[in-house]
Every structure is written in structure tokens, then in C-alpha cells.
Amino acid sequence: AQSVTQLDSQVPVFEEAPVELRCNYSSSVSVYLFWYVQYPNQGLQLLLKYLSGSTLVESINGFEAEFNKSQTSFHLRKPSVHISDTAEYFCAVHTGNQFYFGTGTSLTVIP
Amino acid sequence: KAGVTQTPRYLIKTRGQQVTLSCSPISGHRSVSWYQQTPGQGLQFLFEYFSETQRNKGNFPGRFSGRQFSNSRSEMNVSTLELGDSALYLCASSNTGTGGSYEQYFGPGTRLTVT
């Protein structure tokens, strides 16, 4: 079975500093990769996805993630964070007709 | 298109009772998945329904069950509630299958509190 690992449960970072949220998965066989964001008291919203093509994918609010097949990773990065980026971030893998989610990383942006 | 809707948004029940949660997917989506979210555990997969059939099932006891109707709306039932069932229950719909985008669209969740 597929497993998704988000090693960092909490990441505090100062405003305007860069951030990287790490995500590793167990199998590289035909996977689709996603990052979701959850703001307080809300459901999850899709941030970005990798289905095929360019291994670097970007979101409209400045986040990017790179699919690394050899390292089975899909780390999320942003060069300069804002207060409004404070949220829970979930990495997800779709394979074999099922979605698998990581346990989430709580990003806190400090003014 | 309207998003995924879940009812009710908040629910308080007593141990031993049973509860039914409802989810209406995005129009045209045939897959509905249910997740339990608790602090520290992240999202734990309950089950997925596709065209009225349970396609996948997570590792939850038989007290957790679900069904999907012909219009793709889904219900989840939990019988004999326990304190540990207190959680946010999220429903997600997707257009999985040939030509589908595979991504899941989540509802706002139902916050269940068991006392």
C-alpha cells in the first residue's frame, strides 16, 4: 500500500522568509501528486497538482512543487511567505484508484 | 458549478447513539470519498463510493458504513457512537476515470462531537 510522509508536523517561519514543506511517498509507480491547503474551520482546497509533463508545478499564489521521481518526493516551496499563508498543508498521492494523504504540516507565519 | 455540500455542519451526539451525515458531490462527479480528520492523525480514509458501489475501504470498524444513491449523493452512518468518534468528517468528490482530472474537491466538513 502507498504511504505518504510529511516529516515536519509544524513549521514556523518569519514573514517574507522562504519555506519548504517536505513530502515523500513510498511508490513511484504511476502516481498523481497533490498539495492541499486547509484554513481554520474550512475544508481542504487544492493548491497544486502534478499529473504529467513538467516536473515543476506552480500555484496562483506563489507556491511551487517539484516532482522528483528518483527520490519519490514532491516538496512544496515558496520564496517569500505572507501572514495569510498560515494554514495546514496536506500532501496527497493518487494511485491505484485511491487517494492517500499525509498527516499534514502546520505552517505558521510569524510577523 | 456548486461545490461539495455537507449537512449538517455541526452535530452533538451522546455515546451509544447513531448518526447519519450527508454529502452532495459536484454535479457530474461520480466518486465520493469520506475521511475522518482528528488532530495529530491527519486525514484517515473511511471509504469511497463510485456509481453506487463501494470501491475502496479504509481500516475502520463496521460501525462506520456508507452508501451512495443514483444521483451520486452519499450518506455516512456511524452506529453506537464512542467518544473517540469525535472528529471532523470530510467528504470529497472527484471525476476519477478516463479523462478525469483525479483531483478531489472537498466539502466544508461535518464537525461531530460525541459526549
Side-chain angles (χ1 to χ4, degrees):
Chain A
Q2 178 72 243
S3 68
V4 181
T5 303
Q6 293 181 247
L7 285 173
D8 307 304
S9 59
Q10 295 185 353
V11 174
V13 62
F14 286 103
E15 192 175 13
E16 297 184 6
V19 70
E20 179 180 76
L21 306 183
R22 296 179 292 169
C23 173
N24 288 88
Y25 55 95
S26 59
S27 171
S28 61
V29 177
S30 188
V31 296
Y32 302 107
L33 302 164
F34 305 83
W35 275 99
Y36 284 85
V37 59
Q38 184 180 34
Y39 298 103
N41 299 315
Q42 295 185 27
L44 277 68
Q45 302 171 32
L46 180 68
L47 190 59
L48 47 74
K49 62 184 178 184
Y50 170 80
L51 301 182
S52 65
S54 173
T55 57
L56 184 66
V57 290
E58 298 177 352
S59 72
I60 58 172
N61 57 352
F63 282 94
E64 64 178 30
E66 185 161 19
F67 168 51
N68 188 318
K69 188 174 182 178
S70 63
Q71 297 189 3
T72 60
S73 68
F74 191 55
H75 300 332
L76 181 70
R77 295 187 290 264
K78 189 171 185 180
S80 175
V81 295
H82 302 289
I83 295 292
S84 59
D85 293 325
T86 294
E88 189 89 14
Y89 292 80
F90 292 92
C91 179
V93 173
H94 182 277
T95 183
N97 257 345
Q98 189 171 340
F99 283 90
Y100 299 85
F101 283 82
T103 52
T105 296
S106 177
L107 173 64
T108 301
V109 180
I110 305 164
Chain B
K1 280 184 180 179
V4 178
T5 58
Q6 292 187 245
T7 56
R9 291 292 312 277
Y10 301 92
L11 207 50
I12 300 175
K13 289 285 189 179
T14 304
R15 270 182 303 175
Q17 288 185 315
Q18 68 94 27
V19 66
T20 299
L21 312 181
S22 180
C23 171
S24 293
I26 290 173
S27 176
H29 285 190
R30 293 162 62 189
S31 169
V32 174
S33 297
W34 288 90
Y35 296 86
Q36 181 193 67
Q37 185 180 16
T38 54
Q41 296 284 331
L43 275 76
Q44 297 192 68
F45 174 70
L46 282 153
F47 30 66
E48 180 207 6
Y49 285 87
F50 183 83
S51 294
E52 301 182 65
T53 301
Q54 189 179 82
R55 184 159 71 174
N56 288 299
K57 187 178 188 304
N59 189 27
F60 276 80
R63 299 185 298 108
F64 293 81
S65 63
R67 59 177 175 170
Q68 186 179 34
F69 302 96
S70 59
N71 61 358
S72 293
R73 189 178 71 86
S74 177
E75 287 183 347
M76 188 192 92
N77 186 76
V78 187
S79 63
T80 318
L81 284 166
E82 301 177 358
L83 293 178
D85 296 334
S86 294
L88 181 66
Y89 289 89
L90 293 166
C91 163
S93 75
S94 66
N95 187 20
T96 56
T98 303
S101 64
Y102 296 97
E103 64 193 75
Q104 291 197 311
Y105 296 81
F106 284 81
T110 294
R111 173 75 62 186
L112 172 65
T113 302
V114 182
T115 61

